[in-house]
mmCIF file of all heavy atoms in Angstrom:
data_model
loop_
_atom_site.group_PDB
_atom_site.id
_atom_site.type_symbol
_atom_site.label_atom_id
_atom_site.label_comp_id
_atom_site.label_asym_id
_atom_site.label_seq_id
_atom_site.Cartn_x
_atom_site.Cartn_y
_atom_site.Cartn_z
ATOM 1 N N ILE A 141 -19.525 10.181 10.187
ATOM 2 C CA ILE A 141 -18.669 10.189 8.939
ATOM 3 C C ILE A 141 -17.450 9.397 9.250
ATOM 4 O O ILE A 141 -16.759 9.553 10.276
ATOM 5 C CB ILE A 141 -18.270 11.645 8.659
ATOM 6 C CG1 ILE A 141 -19.464 12.508 8.239
ATOM 7 C CG2 ILE A 141 -17.212 11.690 7.468
ATOM 8 C CD1 ILE A 141 -19.206 14.003 8.147
ATOM 9 N N VAL A 142 -17.147 8.379 8.412
ATOM 10 C CA VAL A 142 -15.925 7.628 8.510
ATOM 11 C C VAL A 142 -14.962 8.195 7.520
ATOM 12 O O VAL A 142 -15.159 8.209 6.284
ATOM 13 C CB VAL A 142 -16.200 6.118 8.191
ATOM 14 C CG1 VAL A 142 -14.775 5.395 8.253
ATOM 15 C CG2 VAL A 142 -17.100 5.458 9.269
ATOM 16 N N ASN A 143 -13.845 8.767 8.071
ATOM 17 C CA ASN A 143 -12.870 9.446 7.220
ATOM 18 C C ASN A 143 -11.738 8.476 6.862
ATOM 19 O O ASN A 143 -10.774 8.307 7.634
ATOM 20 C CB ASN A 143 -12.305 10.686 7.968
ATOM 21 C CG ASN A 143 -11.059 11.208 7.361
ATOM 22 O OD1 ASN A 143 -10.912 11.153 6.133
ATOM 23 N ND2 ASN A 143 -10.164 11.681 8.195
ATOM 24 N N ALA A 144 -11.854 7.793 5.833
ATOM 25 C CA ALA A 144 -10.759 6.918 5.294
ATOM 26 C C ALA A 144 -10.305 7.581 3.932
ATOM 27 O O ALA A 144 -10.183 6.885 2.900
ATOM 28 C CB ALA A 144 -11.339 5.527 5.035
ATOM 29 N N SER A 145 -9.882 8.739 4.099
ATOM 30 C CA SER A 145 -9.599 9.577 2.815
ATOM 31 C C SER A 145 -8.163 9.511 2.461
ATOM 32 O O SER A 145 -7.825 10.176 1.448
ATOM 33 C CB SER A 145 -9.982 11.028 3.031
ATOM 34 O OG SER A 145 -9.344 11.571 4.284
ATOM 35 N N GLY A 146 -7.329 8.771 3.085
ATOM 36 C CA GLY A 146 -5.940 8.633 2.670
ATOM 37 C C GLY A 146 -5.246 10.002 2.675
ATOM 38 O O GLY A 146 -5.280 10.793 3.604
ATOM 39 N N LEU A 147 -4.524 10.287 1.552
ATOM 40 C CA LEU A 147 -3.850 11.547 1.422
ATOM 41 C C LEU A 147 -4.848 12.794 1.427
ATOM 42 O O LEU A 147 -4.345 13.848 1.720
ATOM 43 C CB LEU A 147 -3.053 11.573 0.168
ATOM 44 C CG LEU A 147 -1.847 10.631 0.038
ATOM 45 C CD1 LEU A 147 -1.310 10.577 -1.353
ATOM 46 C CD2 LEU A 147 -0.739 10.966 1.019
ATOM 47 N N GLY A 148 -6.049 12.519 1.160
ATOM 48 C CA GLY A 148 -6.997 13.591 1.219
ATOM 49 C C GLY A 148 -7.139 14.224 2.625
ATOM 50 O O GLY A 148 -7.570 15.311 2.784
ATOM 51 N N ALA A 149 -6.726 13.419 3.651
ATOM 52 C CA ALA A 149 -6.829 13.954 4.967
ATOM 53 C C ALA A 149 -5.887 15.187 5.240
ATOM 54 O O ALA A 149 -6.064 15.827 6.244
ATOM 55 C CB ALA A 149 -6.455 12.860 5.950
ATOM 56 N N LYS A 150 -4.981 15.340 4.348
ATOM 57 C CA LYS A 150 -4.054 16.462 4.444
ATOM 58 C C LYS A 150 -4.761 17.829 4.114
ATOM 59 O O LYS A 150 -4.351 18.860 4.627
ATOM 60 C CB LYS A 150 -2.915 16.314 3.525
ATOM 61 C CG LYS A 150 -1.782 17.367 3.593
ATOM 62 C CD LYS A 150 -0.651 17.066 2.733
ATOM 63 C CE LYS A 150 0.433 18.139 2.815
ATOM 64 N NZ LYS A 150 1.166 18.192 4.206
ATOM 65 N N SER A 151 -5.788 17.732 3.253
ATOM 66 C CA SER A 151 -6.401 18.951 2.697
ATOM 67 C C SER A 151 -7.852 19.185 2.959
ATOM 68 O O SER A 151 -8.346 20.228 2.725
ATOM 69 C CB SER A 151 -6.082 19.070 1.226
ATOM 70 O OG SER A 151 -6.660 18.032 0.558
ATOM 71 N N ILE A 152 -8.564 18.143 3.397
ATOM 72 C CA ILE A 152 -10.016 18.308 3.598
ATOM 73 C C ILE A 152 -10.250 19.222 4.777
ATOM 74 O O ILE A 152 -9.701 18.989 5.849
ATOM 75 C CB ILE A 152 -10.695 16.927 3.889
ATOM 76 C CG1 ILE A 152 -10.606 16.083 2.503
ATOM 77 C CG2 ILE A 152 -12.132 17.134 4.296
ATOM 78 C CD1 ILE A 152 -11.102 14.671 2.687
#
Side-chain angles (χ1 to χ4, degrees):
I141 297 171
V142 176
N143 167 35
S145 57
L147 291 173
K150 185 177 180 68
S151 61
I152 293 175

